């Protein structure tokens, strides 16, 4: 990984921590897959855009309805638990 890419990832992680008021280090708890039968959803202010069959890193189980996740492009956001499947 180049120095430029590393600095970009660090900046994205800092922005994530500020936006979601997340304290501490960012650790991946597990990986889950978006239900292949789910319809594609656009992201919102704090919601992550979803693609059916996509594998997401779970950062935090926030509530019974939502999970805080990161996608392969290192974008963060909330995802409804109803569309997530364990690997």
């Amino acid at each position: 990984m180049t120095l430029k890419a590393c600095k970009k990832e660090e900046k994205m992680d800092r922005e994530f921590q500020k936006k979601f008021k997340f304290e501490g280090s960012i650790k991946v708890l597990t990986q889950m897959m978006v239900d292949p039968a789910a319809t594609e959803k656009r992201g919102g202010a704090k919601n992550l855009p979803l693609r059916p069959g996509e594998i997401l890193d779970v950062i935090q189980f926030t509530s019974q309805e939502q999970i805080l996740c990161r996608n392969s492009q290192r974008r963060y956001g909330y995802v409804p638990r109803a569309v997530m499947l364990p690997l």
Side-chain angles (χ1 to χ4, degrees):
M1 188 184 300
T2 65
L3 181 62
K4 187 175 181 179
C6 187
K7 287 189 181 246
K8 184 177 179 181
E9 283 186 9
E10 287 177 7
K11 181 181 177 187
M12 291 175 75
D13 288 348
R14 282 193 307 274
E15 288 174 2
F16 155 74
Q17 289 177 323
K18 184 177 178 182
K19 183 176 181 178
F20 291 93
K21 297 181 176 100
F22 189 88
E23 295 182 12
S25 61
I26 300 169
K27 295 179 185 168
V28 176
L29 301 177
T30 187
Q31 289 187 321
M32 295 180 86
M33 180 174 69
V34 177
D35 187 350
T39 57
E40 191 167 324
K41 294 187 179 188
R42 291 186 182 188
K46 290 189 175 183
N47 294 330
L48 194 61
L50 301 176
R51 291 188 315 240
E54 181 178 26
I55 305 293
L56 301 175
D57 295 330
V58 175
I59 306 299
Q60 185 179 38
F61 292 98
T62 54
S63 70
Q64 294 287 35
E65 293 84 32
Q66 292 185 327
I67 305 171
L68 186 57
C69 295
R70 175 177 67 194
N71 66 12
S72 59
Q73 290 87 34
R74 295 193 64 85
R75 296 184 68 202
Y76 296 89
Y78 292 112
V79 178
R81 280 190 182 216
V83 298
M84 299 299 288
L85 300 173
L87 289 179

